Amino acid sequence: MAGSNRRAVLLLLGMAAVAAAQAPAREEAKPSRVEGVVMNALTGEPLPQAHVTFDVPGNRKAKVFGAITTAEGKFAIGPIDPGNYRAKANRQGYVASGAPVDVKVAPGDAVRDIELKLAPHAVIAGRVVDGNGDPVESVQVEAVRGGARSEHRTNARGEFRLGGLPAGQYLVRALPGNGGRDQELRTDGSQDENYGVTYYPGARSEQEGAVVEARAGAETGGIEIRLARAPVVRLSGKVTNAPEGARDYYMERTDVRFASTGQFNGPKFALWRLPSGRSALYVSCEDLNGREWESALMEFDMGDANIDNFDLPVMLPFDVSGRVDWDGQAPSSGDPLAAGLRLQAFTNWGHSAEGRMAENGTFRISKTSPGRYRVELAGAPADAYVKSVRQGAVEMANRTVDLRYGPGEPISVKVSTQGAQIAGVVRNEKGPVAGMSVGLVGDDPLEFDLFRSVETGADGGYSLRGLAPGKYRVFIFDTEDYDALRKNRTLPFYATPGEAIEVREAEKITRDLRLPR
Amino acid sequence: MRLPVALLLLLLSFRGAGEEPAALQGTVVNSVTGEPLDRVQVHLTVRASDEGLPPPGYGAITDDHGRFSISPIPPGTYLVHPERAGFYLALPRDKSATAPTLELKAGQQMRDYRLEMAPRAVISGRVIDENGEPVGNADVFADGPGRAVLYFLGIWKSSTDDRGEYRMSLPAGQYRIRTEVPDYSGDEIRTDGTAPMTYPPTWHPNAIDAARAATVELRPGSDIPGIDIQMRPLRLSIGGKVSGAPAGATPTVSIQCLRRGGSVWNDITPEPDGSFSLGRLEPGACHLFAHASSGGREMRSAVVELNLKDTPVSELDLALKPGTDISGALEMADKEEAANRAVRLEPLSRIMGRSYTGRTGRDGVFEIKGVAPGRYRVAVAPLPQGGYVKTVLLDGAAAALGVLDLRAGAGTAQLKIAAGKGAARVSGRVTDDAGRPAALTMAFLAPEGDEKLELEQNAQAASDGTYSFADLAPGKYRLFARGVTTSVSKEEALAQAETIELKEGDRITKDLKPIAKGAGDGRKQ
């Protein structure tokens, strides 16, 4: 997986780096302790035999503490190391309910009355049949919101049960295998039966799928998916610009759900029966000196027709150079370098490189892989934004740079401190909701190159700062869907984006959001 | 998971261009009833290895009389793969192949091609925990003779639903049914008297050891319910103490445990008193050692190898040692030849062990400092044609099987190595019962007395079945061949290996048959 999902961060690091977090002073205090209870969110009863964990999010090296709840649903951990923990409970047949619970444990503290909630899971059950109505065994079936939330393979009767679901609305899709076959010819007038990803009840796309409502502690049954026939189409092309004697051709194909890899003899390739929808393809090969030549991750949208002549130029890693300038008035420490400016660039699918900024705002990034990158700021003043990105004389759309075909012209980035802001509070019928993900995309057509997201704080508030002037849409989504969103480049079906919000330079707009139902 | 094969881009050759086309007519029947099978999708794909894009495959569907026809079809060699829900291609029992091949010559009119498909058997059951509660989301695997066939049919794995139930269809055969609960969590600290538990892979009805699994016999079309699997949580941990750490040095304990076909590596820092513990482990082999660096010198403990069964292992003592300083001499027939050779000490424990190299001076003298505690074999390179390590003397005593035992791990040692001339060689062919080259087979060779196969050499048999071992010291050896995918363990195979004796300069030919049945399989027949 790691290889297919190369994290894509191209960093231009200012020397004035963020100060390293200070190590906490060692104190000889009495041991810290945490206590609490796990409740059934539906009945309000305490829940015994639940597994409780306290871990430090984002720190895999930190110790994890755990406990099992008693017959009264109570748990206690002590001694526990001081730290900022996220508390979780789990038990088979239950799912987390409500906002995440963060617990700060100071040296010598006894934190009591921590309440963790679990709700009985929802179940979606049904079966999968083929075009003739015969049940199909061993087909992967998933309950989907943005990404998959629960999966199960059909049994020998074609039946599936998707358990472990939080109550909510889902699409249900089946992912039949394609038998590993390429093109197949028929001389007897019969049809090469090819089934594609199918959304309940029998749709070939997410948009046409029917929404299934799942309720806590209940089973939604009778969900019969009739696999949809899909035309047998191919993606074909060749690797271009390959060095003499190129060998060890390798490719990775990534779609929203899968990554698959393979070797091929090159330079030509043909891939059959790919899932429809958005995918990206990457190829590499080695030259006689053992150096790796690689292509960008090139996106394509597989429909009902062949895609031919999909050519992928490969190249050696290259250097990218350019400069960063302030637009208009610079902040007090005028030099971008001294301001601790960090330029971050990424693609929706992968690839990365790192470079350093010189004192006069010029930068050079060595060993960059081809790709289309989005240029962003980090470690800069909160209201700073990338005002424009030019490659040579060409103004690039959406502050991206196109390095798919090589380094091209030098890049110049203009940074302004006059970014706009959209802020507000996320509420449901009971009041503000913490820990919700709020996303922002460019408006009309939805422009995912501009996708940003933040989580609401304890007061339910969110704020998106450093926005370039323009039209946006904000929406609430499930944090788990972040990856699917980035790759899909469409809003998940359950997200209800409000009307477009237009911001002007340095404007501050308040927009509260309401969770549906 | 969808088959990744589409991307494997099997590059297939196509000989048909320009040749007179062939024609194929055939029938698919139910192998049990002999009746024709309708609605079978028959797929023909080309397999070869030339460059270029694969040519298209051919397909057809059977009619009410089980008949299908493909005409015209380019001549060539095709893999035949019929598909119908609830059935599988009945192949002769001994086949490891997943599909039969069919050769069509230019102009050939094949009319009577016959395929037999057998109804799949169905097994079903529940996976429950120690309290009888259902275990949802557990994977259920059928371990049988033809794993490749199962994979090809896409039914090598099933999974339980939220009620702990599963139901899967399988070709006839004998199976052991195994379940695994996906568990990616690591160790955690408990202070409430409970302990982190793991549910290890378990075979029907409740065995955590494959040898104690019950065998389920399936006939075509049989429907066998009640194949339940009860899982029991295990509290398995490894713990002990690191001793001998110099003041100021922070030791690390590295633990590598095999787990479900892969391995998991953990580096843990012991408490200030040297004690360490790692929990939530599964039954299987683990290797661990402690290491620390002090004053620019690395200290290590010996590598401890253990096999976790169903109880925790504690009170291990990992004693850090500065290592052994070796001064040695290499003797060769011609004294001049002993100069400028690399003497390498290779750890017997390939997992976690490290090797050490010393280079000989003009007089064959060499030094190797700080050799970590452990056992090593001695290699000298390069050796002249036919050269081999003849004797190894450690502090004046002959090392058994040439293995240096440096587990004491401190102080100094004298090493004397004598190289001989006239290394032996053994080679031959590995063939199946019918005398054909056995595919995917390895040949193994180990000196007699090496019961744990620590000194084994192995060689993959070439496509014509040939193998060879060269540069061997004279002596007695055990020799056997074993299929790469066999369920016969190396130890089981060793018990049935033949013994050969090699004298100086021998070149012996020895043909082998893969050892097909382990002791366990033998009993069941």
Side-chain angles (χ1 to χ4, degrees):
Chain A
M1 291 296 153
S4 65
N5 213 351
R6 298 141 157 271
R7 247 335 125 221
V9 185
L10 147 75
L11 287 176
L12 295 164
L13 273 175
M15 298 276 283
V18 184
Q22 286 183 346
R26 214 189 159 84
E27 286 185 46
E28 294 299 326
K30 66 173 178 160
S32 310
R33 185 176 173 78
V34 292
E35 288 173 16
V37 65
V38 177
M39 305 292 283
N40 180 326
L42 206 63
T43 63
E45 308 263 317
L47 201 57
Q49 286 294 312
H51 178 206
V52 175
T53 56
F54 279 66
D55 62 13
V56 181
N59 183 355
R60 295 188 54 184
K61 287 202 140 179
K63 289 178 188 164
V64 177
F65 291 83
I68 302 290
T69 56
T70 63
E72 294 78 42
K74 290 183 178 159
F75 67 88
I77 303 170
I80 184 171
D81 293 355
N84 292 316
Y85 292 95
R86 178 152 285 191
K88 290 180 204 132
N90 64 73
R91 197 190 135 156
Q92 181 146 327
Y94 290 83
V95 290
S97 171
V101 175
D102 291 325
V103 179
K104 186 175 170 148
V105 181
D109 255 9
V111 186
R112 294 181 214 281
D113 302 326
I114 299 164
E115 190 176 283
L116 303 175
K117 285 185 187 156
L118 289 175
H121 70 163
V123 177
I124 297 174
R127 73 179 190 143
V128 176
V129 298
D130 64 16
N132 303 316
D134 294 330
V136 189
E137 184 179 5
S138 208
V139 177
Q140 179 88 357
V141 183
E142 301 175 334
V144 181
R145 268 172 78 76
R149 292 298 201 286
S150 173
E151 49 189 52
H152 190 218
R153 284 172 166 284
T154 55
N155 68 15
R157 290 176 180 150
E159 298 160 340
F160 65 86
R161 284 177 67 87
L162 299 161
L165 290 169
Q169 297 189 318
Y170 296 91
L171 298 172
V172 184
R173 70 178 170 211
L175 302 119
N178 61 17
R181 282 177 289 125
D182 288 348
Q183 185 189 16
E184 184 173 286
L185 303 177
R186 302 273 171 143
T187 64
D188 62 352
S190 65
Q191 255 199 353
D192 176 4
E193 286 194 4
N194 183 55
Y195 296 109
V197 175
T198 307
Y199 286 80
Y200 168 74
R204 290 189 55 210
S205 72
E206 195 174 310
Q207 289 72 29
E208 297 162 307
V211 171
V212 176
E213 185 87 32
R215 285 176 301 278
E219 177 183 325
T220 305
I223 302 302
E224 179 159 305
I225 302 174
R226 182 176 276 253
L227 293 178
R229 288 203 168 88
V232 178
V233 289
R234 70 170 174 256
L235 171 82
S236 77
K238 61 182 180 298
V239 179
T240 60
N241 195 40
E244 202 186 320
R247 56 190 170 174
D248 290 343
Y249 281 95
Y250 169 84
M251 66 164 59
E252 292 179 11
R253 193 189 60 80
T254 314
D255 59 43
V256 174
R257 207 183 166 283
F258 288 107
S260 48
T261 63
Q263 286 167 326
F264 63 114
N265 281 1
K268 285 186 180 169
F269 58 86
L271 306 174
W272 291 87
R273 298 171 208 261
L274 296 179
S276 58
R278 210 172 263 279
S279 292
L281 189 67
Y282 158 91
V283 295
S284 68
C285 60
E286 245 182 56
D287 65 18
L288 294 170
N289 299 317
R291 291 177 304 180
E292 191 182 30
W293 293 54
E294 55 180 358
S295 77
L297 256 159
M298 292 284 203
E299 289 189 29
F300 61 93
D301 199 345
M302 202 75 223
D304 287 352
N306 292 335
I307 300 176
D308 290 321
N309 305 316
F310 190 74
D311 292 351
L312 296 158
V314 290
M315 57 202 87
L316 289 167
F318 47 81
D319 289 2
V320 177
S321 60
R323 58 178 294 120
V324 178
D325 288 301
W326 294 105
D327 178 67
Q329 202 187 352
S332 49
S333 54
D335 192 330
L337 172 63
L341 192 68
R342 203 155 55 120
L343 219 61
Q344 203 173 35
F346 61 90
T347 70
N348 284 308
W349 303 90
H351 279 207
S352 67
E354 276 183 34
R356 283 205 172 277
M357 192 110 76
E359 280 191 19
N360 55 4
T362 61
F363 62 83
R364 186 168 196 85
I365 312 165
S366 53
K367 300 214 168 100
T368 308
S369 296
R372 189 166 158 270
Y373 293 88
R374 158 173 152 184
V375 181
E376 268 202 348
L377 292 179
D383 291 316
Y385 74 97
V386 174
K387 183 162 187 175
S388 69
V389 174
R390 281 185 307 155
Q391 268 182 287
V394 181
E395 181 88 30
M396 303 302 291
N398 297 330
R399 277 81 76 189
T400 57
V401 285
D402 190 350
L403 308 178
R404 287 179 295 180
Y405 305 93
E409 299 278 296
I411 296 164
S412 51
V413 179
K414 262 220 165 92
V415 179
S416 163
T417 55
Q418 303 296 304
Q421 172 183 322
I422 300 174
V425 177
V426 173
R427 291 194 177 83
N428 62 14
E429 63 279 5
K430 290 181 198 146
V433 189
M436 295 303 303
S437 283
V438 176
L440 169 142
V441 291
D443 179 58
D444 194 32
L446 294 187
E447 191 41 81
F448 268 79
D449 279 346
L450 303 176
F451 174 49
R452 302 244 311 247
S453 74
V454 287
E455 263 193 26
T456 57
D459 58 353
Y462 76 92
S463 134
L464 292 150
R465 298 174 70 174
L467 299 176
K471 272 191 186 175
Y472 298 98
R473 270 173 204 270
V474 289
F475 57 98
I476 302 167
F477 69 97
D478 297 352
T479 310
E480 295 150 76
D481 293 334
Y482 180 80
D483 245 25
L485 227 63
R486 230 164 30 98
K487 291 182 175 175
N488 248 344
R489 297 163 75 83
T490 54
L491 295 185
F493 71 90
Y494 60 82
T496 44
E499 75 278 28
I501 306 171
E502 180 157 17
V503 292
R504 285 185 291 272
E505 196 156 75
E507 193 176 13
K508 291 184 166 42
I509 284 185
T510 303
R511 190 60 53 99
D512 292 344
L513 301 172
R514 193 161 174 97
L515 274 168
R517 202 172 50 91
Chain B
M1 166 128 199
R2 272 179 295 183
L3 291 175
V5 182
L7 259 185
L8 286 183
L9 297 180
L10 292 170
L11 287 165
L12 309 174
S13 89
F14 184 44
R15 294 194 289 118
E19 291 183 81
E20 190 186 345
L24 171 68
Q25 280 176 29
T27 317
V28 185
V29 299
N30 179 325
S31 67
V32 174
T33 64
E35 286 172 9
L37 265 182
D38 65 350
R39 288 196 291 134
V40 178
Q41 295 281 354
V42 182
H43 305 291
L44 270 68
T45 51
V46 186
R47 186 161 88 180
S49 56
D50 288 2
E51 295 201 9
L53 291 175
Y58 282 79
I61 190 166
T62 59
D63 62 17
D64 291 348
H65 307 288
R67 290 184 306 227
F68 69 95
S69 152
I70 304 173
S71 176
I73 178 169
T77 303
Y78 294 89
L79 283 175
V80 185
H81 169 44
E83 255 187 323
R84 189 181 194 274
F87 285 81
Y88 67 98
L89 178 64
L91 284 168
R93 291 215 86 172
D94 65 315
K95 282 287 169 58
S96 58
T98 51
T101 54
L102 168 66
E103 193 179 343
L104 291 170
K105 297 195 167 54
Q108 185 178 2
Q109 307 283 312
M110 186 175 283
R111 294 187 191 285
D112 46 5
Y113 190 69
R114 185 180 155 98
L115 288 167
E116 293 192 357
M117 295 189 83
R120 295 185 187 188
V122 174
I123 60 163
S124 55
R126 288 177 84 212
V127 177
I128 51 175
D129 68 12
E130 72 280 18
N131 302 316
E133 296 287 322
V135 179
N137 224 4
D139 291 326
V140 180
F141 299 90
D143 296 339
R147 196 169 299 189
V149 176
L150 293 190
Y151 188 79
F152 200 69
L153 292 171
I155 47 170
W156 57 292
K157 173 175 134 176
S158 182
S159 60
T160 62
D161 62 26
D162 57 297
R163 301 174 300 199
E165 293 174 7
Y166 74 93
R167 170 180 293 270
M168 70 194 298
S169 74
L170 292 166
Q174 290 187 333
Y175 295 92
R176 293 184 290 196
I177 309 300
R178 169 172 50 102
T179 188
E180 288 180 3
V181 184
D183 177 8
Y184 308 107
S185 52
D187 197 12
E188 68 182 40
I189 299 163
R190 299 273 180 91
T191 67
D192 61 355
T194 61
M197 300 283 194
T198 41
Y199 287 93
T202 308
W203 282 263
H204 165 72
N206 54 14
I208 58 170
D209 178 357
R212 315 186 90 146
T215 303
V216 180
E217 168 105 39
L218 299 180
R219 293 178 197 292
S222 57
D223 186 342
I224 302 187
I227 307 300
D228 297 346
I229 307 175
Q230 177 153 39
M231 305 191 90
R232 274 180 302 124
L234 270 186
R235 176 187 185 171
L236 275 187
S237 59
I238 293 178
K241 228 169 185 170
V242 178
S243 61
T250 308
T252 299
V253 178
S254 293
I255 303 178
Q256 186 184 8
C257 291
L258 293 181
R259 191 182 166 127
R260 299 178 189 182
S263 69
V264 179
W265 181 290
N266 277 283
D267 278 338
I268 52 180
T269 305
E271 299 295 323
D273 70 352
S275 64
F276 69 89
S277 168
L278 180 67
R280 221 176 248 230
L281 298 171
E282 289 190 354
C286 288
H287 289 77
L288 69 159
F289 75 111
H291 48 108
S293 76
S294 163
R297 185 157 182 171
E298 200 194 17
M299 297 182 72
R300 280 180 165 233
S301 74
V303 175
V304 176
E305 182 181 348
L306 48 86
N307 199 2
L308 284 176
K309 289 209 153 64
D310 48 12
T311 46
V313 172
S314 59
E315 294 176 20
L316 289 172
D317 181 21
L318 301 179
L320 289 167
K321 302 272 176 66
T324 307
D325 292 337
I326 289 174
S327 51
L330 172 65
E331 285 174 10
M332 303 206 25
D334 180 350
K335 199 150 189 166
E336 294 285 295
E337 283 197 311
N340 204 22
R341 309 275 163 193
V343 176
R344 206 163 63 241
L345 307 186
E346 293 167 346
L348 291 200
S349 172
R350 270 166 260 199
I351 298 170
M352 293 185 153
R354 60 158 288 196
S355 62
Y356 296 84
T357 306
R359 195 154 272 283
T360 59
R362 209 174 301 162
D363 45 5
V365 167
F366 64 91
E367 275 196 335
I368 303 175
K369 287 201 184 297
V371 179
R375 293 188 305 144
Y376 298 86
R377 84 178 94 193
V378 177
V380 178
L383 279 174
Q385 184 80 26
Y388 66 95
V389 174
K390 188 172 187 178
T391 53
V392 175
L393 296 177
L394 183 65
D395 288 330
L401 297 172
V403 172
L404 300 183
D405 189 343
L406 300 175
R407 281 177 289 191
T412 58
Q414 301 283 331
L415 183 59
K416 212 167 220 175
I417 303 166
K421 272 188 176 163
R425 174 192 161 94
V426 57
S427 61
R429 280 180 85 218
V430 188
T431 56
D432 62 17
D433 287 333
R436 291 170 300 205
L440 292 178
T441 314
M442 304 280 285
F444 292 83
L445 180 80
E448 195 175 56
D450 175 28
E451 291 307 320
K452 289 172 146 179
L453 288 165
E454 291 172 308
L455 299 167
E456 118 200 349
Q457 299 184 50
N458 55 57
Q460 170 132 28
S463 56
D464 60 354
T466 54
Y467 76 92
S468 77
F469 296 103
D471 302 327
L472 301 172
K476 282 189 177 175
Y477 290 88
R478 311 269 282 163
L479 177 65
F480 63 90
R482 176 174 162 267
V484 172
T485 57
T486 180
S487 59
V488 181
S489 74
K490 278 199 271 186
E491 289 69 21
E492 285 173 324
L494 180 69
Q496 299 174 56
E498 46 185 310
T499 304
I500 53 168
E501 181 158 13
L502 300 172
K503 301 211 169 51
E504 207 158 80
D506 269 357
R507 300 177 83 78
I508 284 182
T509 303
K510 198 89 205 168
D511 291 342
L512 301 170
K513 293 217 177 346
I515 288 175
K517 290 204 164 42
D521 291 353
R523 267 203 304 277
K524 256 178 246 127
Q525 295 298 310

